[in-house]
């Protein structure tokens, strides 16, 4: 297994498709996706375009759908939800499909949707992702951070490092046998420096500061937790993710 880390969707190699691709948007899209599926959501369908989301979701009965829209960290007017995982309670989401479009995370998922295996990862479901990789042993794995509008983000890189670090330690292989690019080694180093204070790192991160200004401190606390959800969002059709254990 060779792991490659890309800090943003734009940095992934063109014309290449890995065996397994993992989208990461810790603050907050992939954390929200994992939370929805863990709470009993039927599926999560992702969109880059808000108008397309509205058009497609209109084909579903109102009682079976939820629409989540986020731009710049804030909720889009006219949508039931923004991008806070804390709003995705079992009472609200169970049995319903979440239609979601966010500033960054859904763009990463759209970039990798042609890969044979597509997963959504966050710190909260890191162990489920790692266990899947160890079980399936895909030859090539891309961990694609969402970043912020095309630029590097600390929180996505530390999550990529957390995944790679766990795979490395659990396989017992030399790091150079696992790391497909230098970004893997640097992501692991970032994780090792901050693994005992991830919330502190989030407070250093530019998007973390943006969310704090939007009074989303509780979101940061939630998303900074590691391995609290045993759920694996897996793409079943392009742009549609369900829990791996749902079938």
């Amino acid at each position: 297994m060779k792991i490659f880390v890309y800090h943003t969707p734009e940095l992934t190699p063109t014309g290449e498709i890995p065996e397994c691709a993992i989208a990461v948007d810790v603050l907050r899209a992939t954390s929200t996706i994992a939370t929805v599926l863990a709470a009993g959501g039927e599926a999560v369908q992702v969109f880059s375009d808000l108008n397309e989301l509205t058009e497609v979701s209109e084909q579903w009965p109102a009682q079976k759908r939820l629409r989540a829209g986020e731009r710049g960290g804030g909720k889009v007017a006219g949508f039931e939800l923004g991008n806070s995982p804390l709003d995705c309670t079992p009472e609200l989401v169970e049995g319903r499909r979440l239609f979601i479009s966010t500033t960054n995370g859904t763009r990463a998922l759209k970039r990798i949707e042609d890969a044979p295996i597509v997963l959504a990862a966050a710190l909260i479901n890191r162990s489920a992702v790692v266990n899947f990789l160890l079980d399936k042993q895909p030859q090539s794995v891309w961990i694609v951070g969402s970043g912020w509008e095309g630029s590097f983000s600390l929180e996505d890189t530390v999550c990529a490092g957390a995944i790679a670090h766990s795979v490395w330690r659990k396989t017992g292989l030399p790091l150079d046998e696992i790391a497909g690019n230098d970004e893997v080694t640097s992501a692991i180093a970032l994780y090792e420096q901050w693994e005992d204070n991830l919330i502190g790192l989030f407070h250093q991160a530019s998007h973390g500061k943006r969310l704090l200004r939007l009074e989303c401190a509780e979101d940061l606390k939630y998303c900074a937790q590691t391995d609290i959800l045993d759920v694996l969002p897996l793409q079943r059709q392009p742009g549609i993710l369900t829990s791996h254990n749902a079938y």
Side-chain angles (χ1 to χ4, degrees):
M1 185 193 311
K2 281 283 188 186
I3 299 175
F4 300 80
V5 168
Y6 299 103
H7 297 311
T8 69
E10 293 80 6
L11 291 172
T12 56
T14 56
E16 293 184 30
I17 298 176
E19 187 176 347
C20 176
I22 304 170
V24 175
D25 185 10
V26 175
L27 296 175
R28 292 164 292 173
T30 54
S31 296
T32 296
I33 290 168
T35 301
V36 167
L37 294 178
E42 178 263 336
V44 178
Q45 191 162 349
V46 301
F47 298 84
S48 299
D49 182 75
L50 291 167
N51 291 329
E52 183 186 4
L53 183 159
T54 301
E55 183 179 331
V56 173
S57 64
E58 287 292 339
Q59 300 168 23
W60 282 70
Q63 68 273 19
K64 289 291 185 180
R65 71 172 185 238
L66 283 168
R67 292 185 282 212
E70 172 268 322
R71 290 294 184 269
K75 183 168 89 69
V76 175
F79 285 66
E80 291 96 343
L81 297 169
N83 192 22
S84 174
L86 298 180
D87 292 336
C88 301
T89 61
E91 294 78 13
L92 181 65
V93 307
E94 188 170 7
R96 304 172 85 175
R97 176 169 295 203
L98 181 72
F99 297 84
I100 185 170
S101 179
T102 71
T103 307
N104 302 293
T106 49
R107 194 175 74 250
L109 280 161
K110 296 300 284 185
R111 167 63 185 91
I112 62 175
E113 68 180 9
D114 292 334
I117 302 171
V118 174
L119 309 174
L123 289 165
I124 56 176
N125 73 326
R126 186 266 308 256
S127 60
V129 174
V130 170
N131 291 338
F132 179 89
L133 294 176
L134 295 175
D135 179 47
K136 300 298 183 183
Q137 290 288 323
Q139 288 191 340
S140 57
V141 178
W142 288 3
I143 306 176
V144 182
S146 299
W148 177 262
E149 296 183 344
S151 62
F152 174 93
S153 71
L154 284 169
E155 67 276 5
D156 292 343
T157 303
V158 83
C159 182
I163 295 167
H165 181 270
S166 186
V167 171
W168 171 38
R169 289 298 172 87
K170 288 188 176 185
T171 60
L173 294 170
L175 181 56
D176 61 1
E177 287 190 23
I178 293 173
N181 60 4
D182 288 352
E183 289 88 335
V184 174
T185 306
S186 66
I188 288 174
L190 182 69
Y191 174 69
E192 288 182 330
Q193 181 178 353
W194 289 92
E195 62 180 308
D196 295 325
N197 186 23
L198 290 168
I199 187 63
L201 180 66
F202 285 12
H203 280 249
Q204 296 288 327
S206 58
H207 191 40
K209 293 176 181 177
R210 187 178 294 109
L211 290 174
L212 288 171
R213 290 194 296 270
L214 293 169
E215 301 183 349
C216 296
E218 293 303 312
D219 278 13
L220 265 64
K221 290 179 185 178
Y222 176 78
C223 295
Q225 299 175 98
T226 306
D227 305 334
I228 62 167
L229 296 182
D230 185 21
V231 64
L232 183 68
L234 174 68
Q235 181 175 264
R236 297 290 177 182
Q237 303 173 43
I240 302 175
L241 298 103
T242 63
S243 173
H244 177 55
N245 300 324
Y247 289 83

